[in-house]
Amino acid sequence: MTNQRALARIDLAALRANVAALRAKAPGAAFMAVVKADAYGHGMVPCARAALEAGAGWLGVATPEEALAVRAAGIGPEQARVLCWLWTPGGPWRECVEADVDVTVSAQWALAEAVAAARAAGRPARVQLKIDAGLGRNGAQPAQWPALTAAARAAEKAGLIQVTGVWAHFSCADEPGHPSIARELAVFRWAVEQAADAGLEPEVRHIANSPGTLTLPESHFDLVRPGVAMYGISPVPQVGGPADFGLRPVMTLAARLASVKSVPGGHGVSYGHHYVTPGPTTLALIPVGYGDGVPRHASGAGPVLVAGKWRTVAGRVAMDQFVVDLGGDAAAAGDEALLFGPGDRGEPTAEDWARACGTIAYEIVTRIGPRVPRVYDGCA
Ligand SMILES: Cc1ncc(COP(=O)(O)O)c(C=O)c1O
């Protein structure tokens, strides 16, 4: 590592290989690389470009601001279709129509906003209709679906919108065999048929996230929409790790020791003294904390590779730093500490951190904040 305090290495060659592995699982489907939330903390624009190089044709984001940032970075409509799905009234509908972004509509108010944006922009809005197949978040309820598809078809006939997609999102695809999976697929199939009966001819029908892409071929339809698996994290850790699916973790989080010192036994460590040295020992200070996205829930639990061994966070994670007990092993200020990575050098993985913190690996990588510089390896 360089002389930086901390950094997140992003292995774009691994990301491209992960996209290839996922595409091979769904060979008949188009590929939407989900790059919302700064590509799950990995950096939206470099990851979007790497996914496109590996054959993705679509980029998926949550907010319109993310969609506009993709376009502002110079990723034009000839390089990628962009779908965004989390709207509020008064959002930048017109800007998105003008930027050739496909917008998601789950309700009549959103259809009205898309139509108004199309009128203002002087061009049809590309609209994807979303059904709530059972997740209970966004998406039209099945009872509202026939009215929504009818209104969308009327707007399409008037030349104001083009319905490019019909889609849904699973609730429990990460629990193979969960009864909701078959139920939600049935609702989705009904919604697709109903849209066709309404006269709509969407270009893509899609429901598969990472677990769907990897474990449910019947969910692939015209397009798959993986996020976490593209970053080399297993969406079903209870079934298999990344290597079992031909994936490799993309982010490695490293820091350099800010202090190594000998202390006597009985020395309290960090706020609240939740750790007290059991005897004379060496303490190493890792200069990252919850201000960098290291969860405070990792206090007394998070694993770190320092001086050739896994150590456990001693006491509380603070805003900028935490301590590990080296048990008398030798180390020096400036030495590398590996919080997580692919595991090749014996370091923990994001999944290990997730288990230690009672969360999911999605959150571990996504929460690494802007204070940690990203360094991109494997640029094409
Ligand atoms: C609508 C939608 N599609 C796809 C994804 C990708 O999910 P995953 O990261 O599990 O592949 C997400 C992520 O939460 C999402 O919100």
Side-chain angles (χ1 to χ4, degrees):
M1 100 178 259
T2 62
N3 58 3
Q4 270 154 314
R5 168 187 72 98
L7 59 81
R9 281 200 177 280
I10 308 299
D11 181 353
L12 294 176
L15 189 144
R16 287 193 298 271
N18 294 339
V19 170
L22 289 160
R23 286 182 68 208
K25 292 272 182 195
F31 191 95
M32 181 184 291
V34 177
V35 294
K36 64 188 173 132
D38 205 23
Y40 293 38
H42 295 67
M44 182 171 73
V45 172
C47 291
R49 288 193 193 286
L52 295 170
E53 284 155 14
W58 292 75
L59 300 172
V61 294
T63 71
E65 290 75 17
E66 290 171 329
L68 294 172
V70 167
R71 290 293 190 230
I75 301 176
E78 66 295 340
Q79 288 160 283
R81 297 284 290 276
V82 177
L83 174 67
C84 87
W85 50 73
L86 195 54
W87 286 91
T88 44
W93 295 88
R94 176 183 177 164
E95 290 86 339
C96 281
V97 172
E98 287 173 346
D100 268 310
V101 170
D102 289 54
V103 300
T104 296
V105 159
S106 299
Q108 296 283 355
W109 68 260
L111 183 60
E113 297 233 15
V115 162
R119 286 208 170 94
R123 59 197 283 191
R126 280 208 293 250
V127 167
Q128 300 218 358
L129 300 177
K130 184 174 185 191
I131 175 99
D132 180 357
L135 175 60
R137 293 195 323 202
N138 220 337
Q141 281 296 296
Q144 268 72 56
W145 186 250
L148 186 62
T149 54
R153 180 62 189 135
E156 195 172 59
K157 276 188 178 156
L160 291 164
I161 69 166
Q162 185 193 349
V163 175
T164 59
V166 167
W167 70 280
H169 193 40
F170 279 121
S171 61
C172 310
D174 57 340
E175 296 176 46
H178 194 284
S180 68
I181 294 171
R183 223 165 37 228
E184 290 173 13
L185 277 170
V187 173
F188 184 59
R189 284 195 196 96
W190 168 82
V192 163
E193 276 167 30
Q194 203 288 325
D197 291 347
L200 298 173
E201 294 176 0
E203 185 187 334
V204 284
R205 298 154 300 169
H206 50 106
I207 186 169
N209 50 2
S210 291
T213 305
L214 289 171
T215 68
L216 298 166
E218 67 275 32
S219 74
H220 293 171
F221 293 90
D222 304 309
L223 177 148
V224 293
R225 227 175 45 230
V228 83
M230 209 173 59
Y231 306 105
I233 291 171
S234 171
V236 282
Q238 74 282 27
V239 175
D244 298 311
F245 296 107
L247 304 171
R248 178 174 166 78
V250 171
M251 184 189 290
T252 296
L253 181 62
R256 295 175 70 232
L257 303 185
S259 151
V260 178
K261 63 184 183 185
S262 301
V263 297
H267 202 303
V269 174
S270 193
Y271 296 130
H273 281 178
H274 291 276
Y275 182 79
V276 176
T277 56
T281 190
T282 316
L283 297 179
L285 182 64
I286 320 274
V288 286
Y290 61 78
D292 301 287
V294 174
R296 192 166 177 273
H297 272 95
S299 300
V304 193
L305 181 70
V306 185
K309 291 187 199 151
W310 279 32
R311 322 285 173 170
T312 301
V313 175
R316 282 194 180 146
V317 173
M319 187 181 290
D320 313 305
Q321 47 198 299
F322 66 85
V323 173
V324 293
D325 185 342
L326 298 185
D329 291 347
D335 284 359
E336 186 178 65
L338 287 177
L339 282 79
F340 58 80
D344 303 352
R345 289 189 279 162
E347 75 276 18
T349 62
E351 185 57 39
D352 293 318
W353 272 77
R355 267 197 301 274
C357 300
T359 183
I360 52 176
Y362 290 69
E363 187 184 355
I364 297 297
V365 290
T366 303
R367 59 184 296 146
I368 300 307
R371 201 163 72 166
V372 178
R374 271 61 173 174
V375 174
Y376 293 93
D377 294 327
C379 299

